[in-house]
Amino acid sequence: MSPWQVSRRRLFGLAGAGAALAGAGAATGYGLSAAAGPGTGVIAFRGERQAGIVTPAQDRMHFVALDLTGTDRGAVGDLLRRWTLAAERMTAGLETADGDAVPANRYVAPADTGEALGLSAASLTLTFGVGPALFDKLGITDRRPAPLAELPRFQGDRLDPARSGGDLCIQACADDPQVAVHAVRNLVREGFGVTEVRWSQLGFGRTASTSTAQATPRNLFGFKDGTNNLKAEEPELLDEHVWVGAEGPDWLRGGTYLVARRIRMHIETWDRSNLDEQQQIIGRDKGEGAPLTGTGEFDPADLSATGPDGPVIADDSHVRLASAQENGGVRLLRRGYNFVDGSDGRGHLDAGLFFVAFVRDPQSRFVPMQRTLARSDALSEYLEHTGSAVFAVPPGLADGDDHWGRALLA
Amino acid sequence: MSPWQVSRRRLFGLAGAGAALAGAGAATGYGLSAAAGPGTGVIAFRGERQAGIVTPAQDRMHFVALDLTGTDRGAVGDLLRRWTLAAERMTAGLETADGDAVPANRYVAPADTGEALGLSAASLTLTFGVGPALFDKLGITDRRPAPLAELPRFQGDRLDPARSGGDLCIQACADDPQVAVHAVRNLVREGFGVTEVRWSQLGFGRTASTSTAQATPRNLFGFKDGTNNLKAEEPELLDEHVWVGAEGPDWLRGGTYLVARRIRMHIETWDRSNLDEQQQIIGRDKGEGAPLTGTGEFDPADLSATGPDGPVIADDSHVRLASAQENGGVRLLRRGYNFVDGSDGRGHLDAGLFFVAFVRDPQSRFVPMQRTLARSDALSEYLEHTGSAVFAVPPGLADGDDHWGRALLA
C-alpha cells in the first residue's frame, strides 16, 4: 500500500484525522505533483487551482447542480465553510467528521453516511462552481462577470429544464464511483435547508485525457475522443485558454468556467451507419484514431489536403469544425464522461456523453464553436443536447483558507 | 500482464481470434476455477452453470430486459445463436466478430461498435434469462415452469411498468463499466428486428460478495450488505437453495431463477435518523457489521437474546426478518448493485439498490420472505420498490453448444 492510499478503515478510531491531513498536506502544492496521479490515492485539495480540472482524469464522475432555497448570504457562507471542511477531509480519504461511524453520542445522526468506510480516497477531487442565477439571489448582482450567463439556444437543442442550470455545482471525480457518490451525497446532505439538488449526473467512464501520461479513451461512438485536448503539461496553453486572467473579477482570477452539456447519442442509428461513413463524419479512422490525412493518432490533421472527391477531411466533419484552425485558435480543456441512464421507453438506451469543458470565457470561446457544430457538423444528426449549464469555478484554496468562494461572498 | 489479460488491442489484426478463444478455453471448466476470479481478466464462458452467478461479484453491472417484437421462434433461435457467439467472444476480450474495426469491406456497418477497443476482458460475464411472457408469444406455453410467473404485488410497491418485466434478460457484469455497457449494447444491436430494450439499469458498485475471498461491501445506507450471503465455496448450500433440481423442466435443470427489484432508497430521510435507530432497524452495528448480539461481522445473530427492553435484535429488524430462521430455512444468493440515476426532480437523488438474487424457486422461496419484509421490516419505511422482474436462467453451455436456451426452443 502506498503511503497515499489512506484507508478510511485504517484511520478509524485513531486520533488520526489530524495526522492524516498533515500527511495529505505533504502532497499539497501548486501545479501537478508527481504524487498526484490517478491510482495514487490522494489528490491534493489545496493549491493555486482547484483539483479536478488539470488533474489526470479519473475513471468515474458524479456531478451535481444545486439551487439555493433562500437568499441569506450568511447561511450560504456558513455552508461553504462546512463544505470546504468536509471536502478536504473526504479527498484525504477521511470521513466528513471525526469518529462519525460510532460517535460518542449514539443518539445523534452520524456525521458521515458511512458507505465509503473501508475504501481509499480513490483519487477523489471535488470541484466547486457558481451559476449565473446565484448573484441576484444573494444580492451581489454587480459581482457577476458578463461571461457567466446561461448559454443561448443552439440549433437542435432539446434541453430539459430539469437537467439544466443550477446556482451551484460540485463535480466529484474518483477512480471508485462509490467514493464519488458518497462525496456528493454527504455534501448534498450538509446543504439541507440551504440548497437542494437540481440535477445530478453519473458518468461511468472518462472520455478525455488531461495528461500526456494517459491514453486517449473512447466515447460511445467507438472513436477515441479528445486526442487534441489540452494537457496538464502545457501550462502556457492553459494560461491562454483555460485560466481567467486580468480580464476577470478578483474573486475569479486564476479560476475558470465550466460548461456542461448532457449530449444524448443516438447510438442505435450510428451503429447502422457504415464504417466509411462514420470515419468521414469524424474525420479520423476508428481503429487508431489518426486523422484521415495521417497514420498516427497524434499526427496533425491536414485540413487543406484534397483527394479526387474534394477535401480528405470533409467540410462537415467533426474534426474540422471543432479544430482550433476553424475556431480562431480557440481550444478547450475537455473532461467529459460516458453515461447510460437506462432506456428511453421507446426501445433504445438513454446513453451518451456528459460533456464537461473548462474554458476561459464560455461566451466568446465556447458559444461560437458550438453554434458552428450545431449548425454544420455531420455528427449532429446523431446527437441531441438534453441538458446545459455554465458555472464559474474560483481558483484553488491557499493553506489556511477554510471557505470555498470566500472572495466572492466577502 | 497475466496471460488472461487479453487485450482487444493486442489481438487486433491477428488471425488471433481462434487462438485467443482456445486460450480462454484453457480456463473453461465446471465449478470455480482458481484462474477465474475478478481482476484476472477472463472468466470462462462455458461450464455447468452460466457465469455471473457464483462468479465472484465484479465491481460494475449493466442489466438489460428486452421484449420480443414478434412471435417467430426460428428468428429467436437464430438470434440466440448469434448472441452466444458474440457473448463468448466478448467475454474472452475479443470484438464481436473478426477484424471489425477495420473490416475488409469498409462500406458495411462495423460488426462491433468499437468503444471497448484496447480494454481487457475485465472479468466480463454475460448471464442470460427468459421471462414469463416469452412462452405464450412463442407458442410454447406448456414449457413454462410454474415458478416462472410475475411476482405478486407487495405492500408499498410503487412499480413502474417501464422498469419491470421483460421477455429476455442479459446481466453483464465486469470490473470496467465500459466493457459491461459495450457488451449489452452490442447484444441489443444484434437483436435489432427481433428484440427491443424494455428497460436497462446500470449498477456502479456491488452490494454483495459471492465468494469467501471477497470483503463484504456497503450499500447506500452505509451498512455492510450480504454478510450471510451464500458463497461459491458452499456447493451443497447452492444445490439446496439456488440450482433447480429434479423438480424443474429439463431445459432448466441445473439452472436457476433471477429475481430483480429496483429499490429506491430514501437516503435523505435515512441520513437524518440517528445511529442507534439505524442500527436497531438493521440489527447490526454500522462500523463492523456485527449483529447486535455479537462483536464480529460473521458472528451468528442470536435472535433469542433479550435485554432490559426486550429482544436485543428487534422484532422488526431487517436482520431478523430476512434471516433463514424466520423464513423456513430459505436462503438466497444475492448479487445486487448500488445505483444513482440522477435526481427525482424534487431535490433528492434517485439512488438505491438494484437487488438481484438467484434462487431455486422465486414463488415459494422469495415471495414469502418479501411479503414479510414489505409488511413488517422497519427498513421498509425508507424503501420504495420501483421495478420488478423474474427470469429463468438456464444452465451453462457445454463445449460445442452454440446456442443459449437451445433445449428450451428445440
Side-chain angles (χ1 to χ4, degrees), chain A residues 249-296:
Chain A
D250 281 353
W251 66 267
L252 187 56
R253 214 161 291 156
T256 181
Y257 292 91
L258 184 161
V259 174
R261 304 280 292 179
R262 185 180 184 276
I263 307 176
R264 169 91 186 269
M265 292 161 67
H266 293 293
I267 56 176
E268 296 84 358
T269 315
W270 177 259
D271 289 346
R272 289 196 287 273
S273 61
N274 68 51
L275 180 66
D276 195 61
E277 191 181 341
Q278 291 182 0
Q279 296 184 153
Q280 292 294 326
I281 290 170
I282 301 294
R284 293 183 176 275
D285 88 287
K286 197 167 187 174
E288 171 62 25
L292 297 182
T293 55
T295 55

Side-chain angles (χ1 to χ4, degrees), chain B residues 289-335:
Chain B
L292 297 183
T293 55
T295 55
E297 181 192 347
F298 294 99
D299 290 350
D302 180 357
L303 299 179
S304 62
T306 54
D309 303 323
V312 178
I313 295 179
D315 284 338
D316 60 356
S317 68
H318 185 71
V319 155
R320 177 184 294 274
L321 294 174
S323 70
Q325 295 97 303
E326 298 275 329
N327 289 280
V330 162
R331 296 178 66 185
L332 310 174
L333 179 70
R334 294 182 50 180
R335 216 172 185 287

Side-chain angles (χ1 to χ4, degrees), chain A residues 157-161 163-165 199 260-264 354 384-389:
Chain A
D157 272 5
R158 295 186 61 175
L159 302 184
D160 178 352
R163 296 187 191 273
S164 300
W199 54 271
R261 304 280 292 179
R262 185 180 184 276
I263 307 176
R264 169 91 186 269
F354 184 67
E384 188 177 312
H385 287 239
T386 58
S388 180

